[in-house]
Amino acid sequence: MFVKEVTVKNQVGLHARPATFFIQKANEFRSSIWIEKEERRVNAKSLLGILSLGIVGGTDIRIIADGADEKAAVEALTELVESGFNEDGR
């Protein structure tokens, strides 16, 4: 299992559009992946799960993966979150 904490940088957080990008990236990996906010953990490959967390900008989340490519999965998803989902450049 590999875990990394990251702060959501884009202002509106993980609403539908960035959550979709996150899920698409998560589905590139075979590992089981979760997002944890405070004490709630949801499947990172589930749109409803991610949206149910109500993640807004400035929120600290944990990205957790377990499987053959767990480290690569967490690193790629952390990088995506840290990029702000490229929403600042619109």
Side-chain angles (χ1 to χ4, degrees):
M1 186 175 291
F2 192 76
V3 181
K4 194 164 187 180
E5 190 163 310
V6 63
T7 301
V8 177
K9 300 212 186 287
N10 61 321
Q11 208 169 16
V12 293
L14 279 179
H15 62 84
R17 186 169 172 263
T20 300
F21 292 146
F22 190 93
I23 292 163
Q24 289 171 343
K25 180 60 77 178
N27 278 316
E28 293 176 12
F29 300 95
R30 295 181 54 179
S31 294
S32 296
I33 306 170
W34 301 274
I35 296 179
E36 194 172 81
K37 175 187 164 196
E38 297 163 356
E39 298 302 314
R40 278 198 66 212
R41 182 184 288 191
V42 299
N43 182 343
K45 297 178 182 181
S46 163
L47 181 61
L48 288 177
I50 292 173
L51 294 177
S52 74
L53 291 177
I55 298 169
V56 296
T59 301
D60 291 328
I61 60 170
R62 275 194 197 99
I63 301 171
I64 304 157
D66 190 20
D69 53 2
E70 61 191 28
K71 188 170 195 282
V74 171
E75 295 296 343
L77 292 166
T78 299
E79 188 177 311
L80 180 63
V81 172
E82 288 177 339
S83 78
F85 300 90
N86 299 316
E87 290 200 333
D88 297 333
R90 280 199 280 171

